[in-house]
């Protein structure tokens, strides 16, 4: 699937992608209307890239985005937004009221990842820290949230400078802790919709490691998945490895559970409704000749609808208990299945609004730069802003970051592309930032348009 998509997108010619950095060779008439936005971004690109490099070189882990938040809050204040800091942890809410009209929430996420950067960029992160679990690690913006923040500031500038072209209220938010699925929930619980104007519309973007730089992808309906982490503690009765008849072996039982879990997808799941159950960790035992007391399985479970999610979790409980019963495990040693708190709900783009937004982008950018993309099994907590109030018109879109020559090499089988979260992910940042800020500004000016 990814290969086919790669080939199609590689066919998008370089010439169709306007470079924000290419100055016209001869004087051209001053652009008017929407094309003026692209020109304004191009004029500002040196400053934006300085901000981007600074953010890239100084990433902070989830829930620790203190300096990042302070730095950007200062810029928003300078643009005359009404800025509130420390909303839901390190979150920032910047409000600009401009008469009556809709209330548009624009969101960027701020956190980096515990990844040791290996891009070789001259502004690569050298930051080292300890995770809350005590693991020493490097820190990197390996998910491209630095491009999100830079495009967010660019968009704030463009909209603040065009107050005569829109009416309504802007609520621009910098969200912490996307990577651990906590930040959106923390901001909502800290009164995002009660202490500040309640949004009627919400937009965001994410950079994409499978789209050519400057290409916009959109997905009506479910765009990203429900992400659950599930632990299964398989209890047995331990003993000597030479006398298995005196034990209930949790390793054999755990292996059966792993195998039967596969049928939740292959035999019970509607084939047109994709879902995933992956056992990512199986830990048990300490020595060759000891049957241990217990085994531990760690699962990631992905789905789109609430119904499928509930069915899979029920199925995991049923399989674990059923296999334990088949193995003759006593009732008081049944497996313990726990669904972790770090759930990220699926992200849904209400289809009519997604088509309307995509239509706007298609009328603004060359047609080849706006493509419909399939839903992915990754997760994003932007979906929480919509789930908290389903009357909100919500839309998240992708902006490709892969240089066109790299995409072509990958399509020809001569290169493999790093994914998001890879220590090698180095998006073509100027194109991501220029495209995303132009797209967000175009959408915002339409949502908040004057009569
Ligand atoms: Zn990420
Ligand atoms: Zn991300």
């Amino acid at each position: 699937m990814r290969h086919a998509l790669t080939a199609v997108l590689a066919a998008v010619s370089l010439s169709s992608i306007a470079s924000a950095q290419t100055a016209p060779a001869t004087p051209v008439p001053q652009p008017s209307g929407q094309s003026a936005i692209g020109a304004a971004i191009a004029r500002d690109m040196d400053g934006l890239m300085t901000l981007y490099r600074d953010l890239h070189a100084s990433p902070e882990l989830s829930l620790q985005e203190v300096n990042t938040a302070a730095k950007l809050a200062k810029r928003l204040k300078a643009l005359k937004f009404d800025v509130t800091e420390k909303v839901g942890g390190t979150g920032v809410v910047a409000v600009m009221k401009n008469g009556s009209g809709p209330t548009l929430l624009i969101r960027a996420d701020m956190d980096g990842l515990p990844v040791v950067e290996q891009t070789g960029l001259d502004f690569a992160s050298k930051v080292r820290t300890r995770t809350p679990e005590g693991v020493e690690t490097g820190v990197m913006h390996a998910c491209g949230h630095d491009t999100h923040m830079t495009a967010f500031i660019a968009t704030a500038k463009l909209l603040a400078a065009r107050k005569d072209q829109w009416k309504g209220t802007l609520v621009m938010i910098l969200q912490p802790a996307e990577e651990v699925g906590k930040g959106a929930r923390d901001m909502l619980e800290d009164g995002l919709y009660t202490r500040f104007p309640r949004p009627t519309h919400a937009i965001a973007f994410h950079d994409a490691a499978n789209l050519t730089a400057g290409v916009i992808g959109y997905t009506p309906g479910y765009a990203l998945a429900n992400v659950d982490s599930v632990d299964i503690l398989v209890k047995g009765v331990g003993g000597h490895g030479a006398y298995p008849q005196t034990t209930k072996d949790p390793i054999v039982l755990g292996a059966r559970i792993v195998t039967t879990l596969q049928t939740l997808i292959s035999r019970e799941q509607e084939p047109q409704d994709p879902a995933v159950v992956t056992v990512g960790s199986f830990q048990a035992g300490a020595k060759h000749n000891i049957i241990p007391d217990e085994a531990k399985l760690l699962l990631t479970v992905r789905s789109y609808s609430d119904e499928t999610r509930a069915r899979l979790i029920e199925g995991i409980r049923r399989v674990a208990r059923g296999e334990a019963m088949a193995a003759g495990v006593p009732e008081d040693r049944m497996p313990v299945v726990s669904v972790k708190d770090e759930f990220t709900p699926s992200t849904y783009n209400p289809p009519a609004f997604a088509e309307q937004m995509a239509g706007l982008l298609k009328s603004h950018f060359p047609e080849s730069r706006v493509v419909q993309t399939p839903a992915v099994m990754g997760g994003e907590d932007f979906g929480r802003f919509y789930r908290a109030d389903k009357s909100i018109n919500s839309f998240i879109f992708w902006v490709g970051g892969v240089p066109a020559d790299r995409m072509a090499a990958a399509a020809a089988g001569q290169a493999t592309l790093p994914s998001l979260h890879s220590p090698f992910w180095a998006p073509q940042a100027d194109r991501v930032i220029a495209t995303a800020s132009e797209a967000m500004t175009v959408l915002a000016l339409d949502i908040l348009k004057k009569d």
Side-chain angles (χ1 to χ4, degrees):
M1 177 70 91
R2 173 165 297 184
H3 237 80
L5 181 68
T6 302
V8 171
L9 296 166
V12 173
S13 77
L14 240 183
S15 61
S16 70
I17 299 168
S19 167
Q21 289 188 315
T22 307
T26 50
V28 290
Q30 191 60 26
S32 61
Q34 291 192 334
S35 60
I37 298 166
I41 296 166
R43 281 195 299 275
D44 200 21
M45 189 45 77
D46 284 350
L48 292 172
M49 285 303 288
T50 302
L51 171 62
Y52 167 73
R53 289 190 194 100
D54 173 49
L55 291 169
H56 188 85
S58 50
E60 295 172 295
L61 287 181
S62 306
L63 305 169
Q64 301 174 16
E65 309 91 339
V66 177
N67 295 330
T68 306
K71 212 179 279 181
L72 298 180
K74 204 169 145 191
R75 287 181 179 250
L76 292 162
K77 282 176 199 160
L79 293 169
K80 305 261 187 300
F81 280 83
D82 185 2
V83 178
T84 307
E85 295 176 69
K86 300 190 172 70
V87 179
T90 63
V92 177
V93 179
V95 177
M96 184 175 281
K97 292 185 176 163
N98 190 22
S100 65
T103 297
L104 171 62
L105 180 147
I106 300 179
R107 173 272 213 169
D109 39 10
M110 298 188 285
D111 47 339
L113 284 160
V115 171
V116 181
E117 178 158 358
Q118 296 177 57
T119 58
L121 293 168
D122 57 7
F123 54 93
S125 165
K126 297 182 182 68
V127 175
R128 294 201 68 86
T129 191
R130 250 174 219 287
T131 67
E133 294 78 31
V135 178
E136 173 144 9
T137 177
V139 187
M140 175 185 174
H141 270 302
C143 203
H145 297 182
D146 45 0
T147 63
H148 303 179
M149 290 183 277
T150 311
F152 174 96
I153 292 294
T155 305
K157 278 178 154 178
L158 290 162
L159 292 172
R162 285 169 175 69
K163 281 183 85 172
D164 59 327
Q165 293 175 32
W166 58 273
K167 68 187 187 84
T169 302
L170 264 180
V171 180
M172 298 200 59
I173 66 167
L174 290 158
Q175 182 209 300
E178 187 280 327
E179 297 291 357
V180 294
K182 258 180 86 37
R185 188 177 61 184
D186 288 352
M187 290 189 81
L188 286 162
E189 283 176 358
D190 197 12
L192 181 63
Y193 288 178
T194 52
R195 289 165 57 198
F196 306 96
R198 196 180 184 88
T200 53
H201 298 72
I203 58 174
F205 83 98
H206 203 296
D207 69 327
N210 61 349
L211 289 175
T212 305
V215 171
I216 295 169
Y218 71 97
T219 313
Y222 287 111
L224 294 116
N226 286 314
V227 179
D228 277 288
S229 297
V230 178
D231 292 3
I232 306 178
L233 179 63
V234 181
K235 298 181 184 178
V237 178
H240 199 300
Y243 311 103
Q245 75 280 13
T246 66
T247 73
K248 297 293 177 196
D249 186 341
I251 294 182
V252 173
L253 172 53
R256 282 184 185 163
I257 291 172
V258 172
T259 307
T260 307
L261 286 175
Q262 309 308 310
T263 64
L264 292 177
I265 304 301
S266 69
R267 301 294 81 188
E268 297 186 24
Q269 181 66 10
E270 150 70 52
Q272 304 300 327
D273 176 18
V276 171
V277 175
T278 291
V279 180
S281 172
F282 186 149
Q283 305 156 25
K287 198 174 183 308
H288 306 70
N289 62 352
I290 301 172
I291 292 171
D293 249 356
E294 57 185 42
K296 199 165 188 189
L297 307 180
L298 306 181
L299 285 64
T300 187
V301 181
R302 312 272 168 139
S303 57
Y304 290 112
S305 69
D306 289 352
E307 296 73 29
T308 298
R309 174 183 182 237
R311 202 187 58 69
L312 288 174
I313 290 171
E314 184 280 325
I316 291 165
R317 292 188 196 282
R318 172 167 48 85
V319 165
R321 182 176 170 79
E323 289 296 347
M325 287 171 72
V329 169
E331 189 59 36
D332 64 347
R333 301 286 294 160
M334 282 293 141
V336 179
V337 176
S338 41
V339 180
K340 309 305 279 183
D341 192 36
E342 59 195 45
F343 163 60
T344 298
S346 58
T347 300
Y348 187 72
N349 287 327
F353 185 61
E355 294 292 1
Q356 185 194 332
M357 294 295 97
L360 271 168
L361 294 172
K362 283 176 184 167
S363 67
H364 181 80
F365 291 98
E367 215 178 313
S368 59
R369 286 181 63 189
V370 185
V371 295
Q372 189 168 335
T373 51
V376 296
M377 278 292 167
E380 225 311 335
D381 70 355
F382 179 69
R384 282 196 189 270
F385 298 114
Y386 169 73
R387 289 175 76 100
D389 179 350
K390 290 187 178 169
S391 71
I392 295 172
N393 285 299
S394 178
F395 182 57
I396 190 168
F397 57 97
W398 298 100
V399 175
V402 184
D405 58 342
R406 300 288 303 159
M407 192 62 107
Q414 291 156 357
T416 51
L417 300 174
S419 63
L420 297 176
H421 292 199
S422 159
F424 298 100
W425 174 234
Q428 195 170 351
D430 60 337
R431 284 194 204 275
V432 175
I433 292 160
T435 304
S437 51
E438 187 167 355
M440 301 238 268
T441 305
V442 166
L443 299 182
L445 288 176
D446 188 81
I447 292 165
L448 302 174
K449 65 175 168 279
K450 290 179 149 182
D451 303 323

